Amino acid sequence: MAFDPFRAIVCYGLFWIVRMNGCLRRARQPRLRGAGWFFDLRVPEDFYVTGGRTILRRYWMRIGIPFVVDIPIAAFIFLTGRFMLLPPLVLGLAALIHVNHVWSVHLAERQAQRLAVPDAGDPVARVALSLTPRRLRDYANGPLEWAMALSAAMAIMWLARVYTTSPAHLPARVVFGVPVTLLYVQLGAVLVKAIVVAWRAPAPLTQTAEHVDAREEKRKYYLRVCDAFRAAMTAAIVFWAIKISAPPASVAGLDRLWFAGYVAFGLAATVWIEIKRKQLVTLSLRARPVTLPDFLRQSELTRWPVCYQPSAPLLTLKGARGYSLNLANAFARAGVAYIAGLALLLVVLGSGR
Amino acid sequence: MVVTIDTTDARPLYQQVADGIKELIARGKLAEGTPLPPVRQLAADLGVNFNTIAMAYRELQKGGLIVIRHGSGSVVSSRTAAERTQAELVRPLRAALTELVLSGLSPDKIQRIVMRELRLAGKGGG
């Protein structure tokens, strides 16, 4: 999609509306389970009037860090009129908000650990291990997969026809650059889906059904988000095929139509995500949080944000200082290869300019 | 369909996984041809070394209870396909009965325990 300053400002404005809701949701998260809980940690009833108050306040301040980053940069952009920097800023902030949230929750829980009720973090003795195989194809939406594959294939065929017959003799990089990049991004979404499917699912023997239901619904939700993203990418490929073969006079109209569709899809997706999130919270609250046994002694395996542990089958290990990406895991290797491939693709596509 | 892992159980983890699957097969809850999860999935779910689950699967394969097909996963094999002699099958039973006798239980009590376990093992299956 081509951004002009107006569209970039609209996107940034919409991002602010959406993030405010997310910010309020994250602020309420520690007390969702009631007075005796801080996130998933069992704490004394007076936690929020004693030592917990400071921990909660610090957590709230930490989730405000993205605003501290955003406001000066946005002010600079608006003052200098470099509005085309707004979309990259939005992308960067979206990543920062999520990483910062994971880090803030982890840190707050660690700080609250010393005030938790005795034995709160003790692992349960018995766990239920599901024997149902989980494969990517078990969670695939057949008609949607076919629709996306056929639409993308038809669009690529149409572009091939445009490339071979167009009197303008457009370079291959111009004609196929966008769809190839979008297909590659789709491949990344498939990789994320595979990771979500493999997401570990042990459950305690008490409230097993509640824990399994909550985990499965969360898994399906993330998979649907990935599919919606892939569908949007496919729509963008089809739109590109239409746009490139349209007469120059109608391109501006098509761009306006695409932008309106993009905004409408974004708003609909936001509403749907909020509804699903509320349902997931209700399901999660039914299952009392427990600590599962750590057979691998993960905290002893890792101290750094990345590690190499071939014997551990997990993508991330929970070390003493936070999560650590296990580079020995097949998904981690695939992720590294994917990022390298994306960089290479961007270099190849950019080299002809 | 779940197997239970107990951290207070003296048996090693691989044995608990293997015994859990055996029990489900005996009760008919895992029918012939039922696919089992890949080693990678179970190891990741439980958060244990790959070898722990691989050992459990190997033991089940040795007992003729599952067939491991490289590339297409493991499935529960036919119960009649387990070509084991009666002497082989009776050996663990004899060992368990010896343990019970040595623990001082009366023959009547042992019989009651055996009958109860037999009923439990056959529940839902045959």
Side-chain angles (χ1 to χ4, degrees):
Chain A
M1 186 179 73
F3 274 105
D4 58 23
F6 169 72
R7 288 171 194 167
I9 293 168
V10 170
C11 280
Y12 183 70
L14 289 173
F15 173 70
W16 259 85
I17 295 169
V18 173
R19 81 189 288 198
M20 286 316 290
N21 189 32
C23 195
L24 291 174
R25 191 181 60 243
R26 288 184 183 96
R28 283 194 295 261
Q29 206 183 347
R31 294 208 269 202
L32 265 184
R33 288 186 181 275
W37 292 90
F38 181 68
F39 293 102
D40 286 345
L41 192 68
R42 195 85 181 84
V43 290
E45 294 289 329
D46 61 351
F47 176 80
Y48 292 101
V49 289
T50 54
R53 206 167 159 178
T54 317
I55 295 171
L56 180 66
R57 205 174 50 234
R58 282 186 189 152
Y59 164 75
W60 282 340
M61 285 167 75
R62 266 184 225 108
I63 58 170
I65 288 174
F67 289 102
V68 179
V69 175
D70 175 19
I71 292 167
I73 298 176
F76 170 77
I77 290 171
F78 278 94
L79 287 174
T80 55
R82 296 177 185 183
F83 298 111
M84 299 314 286
L85 290 175
L86 286 174
L89 175 66
V90 167
L91 282 178
L93 284 171
L96 175 67
I97 287 168
H98 287 93
V99 172
N100 180 59
H101 179 235
V102 172
W103 171 71
S104 304
V105 172
H106 180 77
L107 195 62
E109 279 190 329
R110 235 173 59 188
Q111 288 171 343
Q113 197 78 51
R114 65 190 161 82
L115 300 171
V117 295
D119 309 333
D122 286 0
V124 290
R126 301 172 81 194
V127 291
L129 188 63
S130 171
L131 287 181
T132 309
R134 291 193 308 272
R135 293 159 302 190
L136 197 52
R137 66 170 180 268
D138 297 329
Y139 292 90
N141 180 338
L144 178 70
E145 294 295 331
W146 275 107
M148 286 194 293
L150 287 175
S151 307
M154 281 165 67
I156 301 274
M157 281 195 293
W158 180 255
L159 285 171
R161 188 177 172 276
V162 170
Y163 177 66
T164 50
T165 60
S166 165
H169 296 297
L170 293 165
R173 187 178 53 77
V174 172
V175 178
F176 297 108
V178 170
V180 167
T181 310
L182 293 174
L183 282 174
Y184 195 79
V185 173
Q186 269 214 40
L187 184 68
V190 174
L191 177 64
V192 172
K193 277 184 76 173
I195 292 170
V196 172
V197 169
W199 188 22
R200 59 185 305 219
L205 268 193
T206 48
Q207 287 196 307
T208 309
E210 285 85 350
H211 279 274
V212 170
D213 282 353
R215 179 57 60 95
E216 270 308 296
E217 280 307 309
K218 215 176 258 183
R219 196 191 306 277
K220 284 178 189 160
Y221 161 74
Y222 287 124
L223 291 174
R224 281 186 200 132
V225 170
C226 285
D227 279 342
F229 176 74
R230 290 172 61 219
M233 293 294 108
T234 308
I237 294 171
V238 172
F239 173 75
W240 178 254
I242 294 168
K243 186 181 162 181
I244 208 160
S245 50
S250 56
V251 167
L254 279 173
D255 266 344
R256 273 197 298 275
L257 191 69
W258 173 253
F259 184 70
Y262 173 85
V263 171
F265 176 79
L267 290 175
T270 305
V271 171
W272 177 80
I273 284 172
E274 283 310 312
I275 293 169
K276 284 306 288 182
R277 272 201 173 128
K278 281 208 172 95
Q279 292 171 351
L280 289 175
V281 166
T282 311
L283 268 178
S284 298
L285 292 178
R286 278 172 48 204
R288 190 185 167 92
V290 289
T291 307
L292 292 165
D294 177 13
F295 296 110
L296 287 169
R297 297 179 189 277
Q298 293 176 40
S299 57
E300 291 170 20
L301 286 178
T302 176
R303 284 166 159 258
W304 305 102
V306 287
C307 63
Y308 188 84
Q309 292 294 342
S311 61
L314 309 174
L315 175 63
T316 53
L317 298 172
K318 199 171 184 181
R321 295 184 195 162
Y323 287 97
S324 176
L325 181 70
N326 182 11
L327 290 176
N329 185 279
F331 288 124
R333 288 202 297 267
V336 170
Y338 178 81
I339 292 166
L342 182 63
L344 186 70
L345 179 68
L346 294 177
V347 168
V348 168
L349 291 175
S351 62
R353 286 182 187 174
Chain B
M1 199 71 61
V2 294
V3 287
T4 307
I5 305 299
D6 191 342
T7 52
T8 59
D9 194 321
R11 289 174 299 162
L13 284 175
Y14 87 89
Q15 195 66 57
Q16 290 190 46
V17 173
D19 288 351
I21 296 174
K22 273 182 201 169
E23 214 174 293
L24 289 170
I25 295 173
R27 290 181 185 178
K29 287 185 175 171
L30 280 175
E32 182 189 341
T34 308
L36 290 174
V39 169
R40 190 172 290 277
Q41 180 190 316
L42 277 193
D45 277 0
L46 193 55
V48 293
N49 196 308
F50 294 115
N51 289 335
T52 306
I53 305 299
M55 270 168 77
Y57 274 28
R58 272 200 298 273
E59 185 176 308
L60 292 166
Q61 186 190 27
K62 222 160 61 184
L65 293 170
I66 67 166
V67 178
I68 300 174
R69 294 184 194 127
H70 292 285
S72 60
S74 309
V75 291
V76 176
S77 65
S78 159
R79 288 172 76 176
T80 51
E83 290 173 358
R84 295 167 80 191
T85 63
Q86 195 168 325
E88 268 182 305
L89 293 167
V90 165
R91 202 173 297 138
L93 175 66
R94 190 170 296 148
L97 287 173
T98 308
E99 285 285 324
L100 289 170
V101 171
L102 287 174
S103 70
L105 292 174
S106 68
D108 274 357
K109 179 103 188 188
I110 293 173
Q111 201 172 2
R112 277 202 298 278
I113 292 171
V114 170
M115 293 311 288
R116 195 184 62 211
E117 289 301 316
L118 186 61
R119 271 197 303 275
L120 274 174
K123 205 178 265 181

